Amino acid sequence: MTAFLLRRLIQAAAVVLVMSLLVFLGVFAVGDPIEILISPEADQFERERAVKALGLDLPLWQQYLVFLGNALRGDLGRSFVFNEPALKLILERMPATLELAIGATVAALIIGLPLGLYAGLKPNSPVSKGIMATSILGFSLPTFWVGLMLIMVFAVQLGWLPSTGRGETVTILGMRWSFLTSDGIAHLIMPALNLALFKISLVIRLTRAGVRETMLMDYVKFARAKGLSPARVTFVHVFKNILIPVVTVVGLEFGGTIAFSVVTESVFAWPGMGKLIIDSINVLDRPVMVAYLMMIVLLFITINLVVDITYSLLDPRVRLEGKQ
């Protein structure tokens, strides 16, 4: 286990280094922030002073080395717009995005696993066919349209749920969380369901395929021949084994959920990292853009490591030593 972790940490460091270069070059190519941040009426002297103050007068390679050196000390730069550390701005918005992503993932598992299990155990029933047909909608419907329809129905027409915002929050360890208040949960329901729609369909289809494959295995047939109850066969021998691919995919999708929650946060005016990056792109706030993308890279690397470890715990046959 120790050798595996060390190997993975070395690989992670190499990936972070390469991605930091690609991210920095990509953000640098987007445009000139001076054109947006400085008034068109400013004279040449004021423009040059602003360029120097933001460190944009240095050659690109030197800007990257300065960024890399500061990043090793935990400094990802200061926002051009807010004049605050970019990392601080992102960490302030991170709890909101984490709440949304975790809520969406939990909803996908709670809804998708039972439906997929039923569809796999009884594939020819009308209910199962209806479940599989409905799951296509999760892949087909655009997120922004579903979000607008949810607002129209549950907020405007029925008045059951609030349409935008995060609601009342509680501060714990210096971070604001909304899922600990009833008002916060009410604000969380629609954005989480909207973000979970694709994941629900994915879990349903993945679970159904796993059940259909596992039911044909010899150890399941042997369990039935021993006279074990259908419930024990299903939940001990079938369900446990189909969790392996489900955990892998859902774990990797969790990183994608955080990275691509931009649309949902924009539709529901959810004050998370996604909305922050959209606002930063509009004003070419390079430090915030780079810091956000680097946080996403670190998040994906961490999730991959956690998924690998969880995978090995669910299936002892998996040899961590053999993973590269």
Side-chain angles (χ1 to χ4, degrees):
M1 177 65 76
T2 303
F4 166 75
L5 290 176
L6 287 176
R7 189 161 56 243
R8 274 309 177 94
L9 288 175
I10 294 174
Q11 293 174 354
V15 171
V16 170
L17 182 62
V18 173
M19 287 304 301
S20 68
L21 178 59
L22 295 177
V23 166
F24 195 85
L25 292 176
V27 171
F28 184 85
V30 169
D32 185 5
I34 297 298
E35 298 296 332
I36 296 178
L37 298 174
I38 303 300
S39 171
E41 300 177 356
D43 56 28
Q44 186 64 27
F45 175 76
E46 291 177 337
R47 293 175 63 87
E48 291 178 356
R49 185 175 61 179
V51 169
K52 186 174 182 179
L54 297 177
L56 302 177
D57 58 327
L58 301 175
L60 178 58
W61 65 269
Q62 196 169 347
Q63 290 185 42
Y64 174 70
L65 291 179
V66 171
F67 162 76
L68 198 60
N70 292 334
L72 293 175
R73 298 192 296 269
D75 180 11
L76 296 179
R78 297 185 69 86
S79 168
F80 293 164
V81 177
F82 299 98
N83 195 29
E84 293 184 14
L87 187 59
K88 176 185 175 184
L89 292 173
I90 292 173
L91 292 179
E92 287 176 352
R93 304 290 189 99
M94 183 177 288
T97 299
L98 285 178
E99 280 183 339
L100 191 58
I102 293 173
T105 302
V106 171
L109 292 174
I110 291 177
I111 298 173
L113 283 175
L115 294 179
L117 188 62
Y118 181 87
L121 293 173
K122 300 181 178 180
N124 297 320
S125 69
V127 175
S128 297
K129 293 180 179 179
I131 291 173
M132 299 310 296
T134 306
S135 68
I136 297 176
L137 296 177
F139 295 112
S140 306
L141 297 178
T143 304
F144 72 90
W145 183 84
V146 174
L148 293 175
M149 291 301 102
L150 289 174
I151 293 175
M152 181 69 69
V153 174
F154 293 103
V156 178
Q157 299 294 335
L158 299 177
W160 290 354
L161 296 169
S163 59
T164 58
R166 194 181 175 198
E168 184 181 353
T169 60
V170 174
T171 302
I172 298 179
L173 300 177
M175 297 183 179
R176 295 187 299 115
W177 304 93
S178 63
F179 74 97
L180 297 174
T181 65
S182 58
D183 183 57
I185 293 176
H187 281 80
L188 179 63
I189 291 175
M190 282 201 299
L193 286 177
N194 183 55
L195 190 59
L197 187 60
F198 176 85
K199 279 72 180 176
I200 292 173
S201 300
L202 182 64
V203 171
I204 288 175
R205 290 186 166 271
L206 195 61
T207 303
R208 180 188 181 278
V211 171
R212 297 305 302 154
E213 181 181 356
T214 306
M215 292 296 288
L216 301 176
M217 295 294 180
D218 290 339
Y219 61 85
V220 175
K221 296 177 181 178
F222 182 71
R224 285 175 170 175
K226 288 175 60 178
L228 298 180
S229 65
R232 182 172 178 81
V233 172
T234 298
F235 291 102
V236 175
H237 296 278
V238 176
F239 189 68
K240 181 180 178 181
N241 285 280
I242 66 172
L243 278 180
I244 296 172
V246 171
V247 166
T248 302
V249 174
V250 170
L252 296 177
E253 279 291 320
F254 182 75
T257 303
I258 293 178
F260 303 112
S261 62
V262 176
V263 175
T264 297
E265 291 187 5
S266 299
V267 171
F268 292 93
W270 189 263
M273 295 190 300
K275 193 171 185 305
L276 174 65
I277 190 62
I278 289 295
D279 295 339
S280 300
I281 291 173
N282 289 333
V283 295
L284 293 180
D285 196 347
R286 286 181 182 173
V288 176
M289 295 163 63
V290 172
Y292 172 81
L293 293 173
M294 291 308 302
M295 290 291 291
I296 295 300
V297 169
L298 290 173
L299 181 66
F300 269 98
I301 291 173
T302 303
I303 289 175
N304 271 301
L305 180 60
V306 172
V307 166
D308 282 340
I309 294 175
T310 306
Y311 193 102
S312 68
L313 293 177
L314 287 173
D315 188 355
R317 295 171 300 177
V318 176
R319 298 294 182 181
L320 288 176
E321 293 79 9
K323 286 187 174 292
Q324 298 296 330

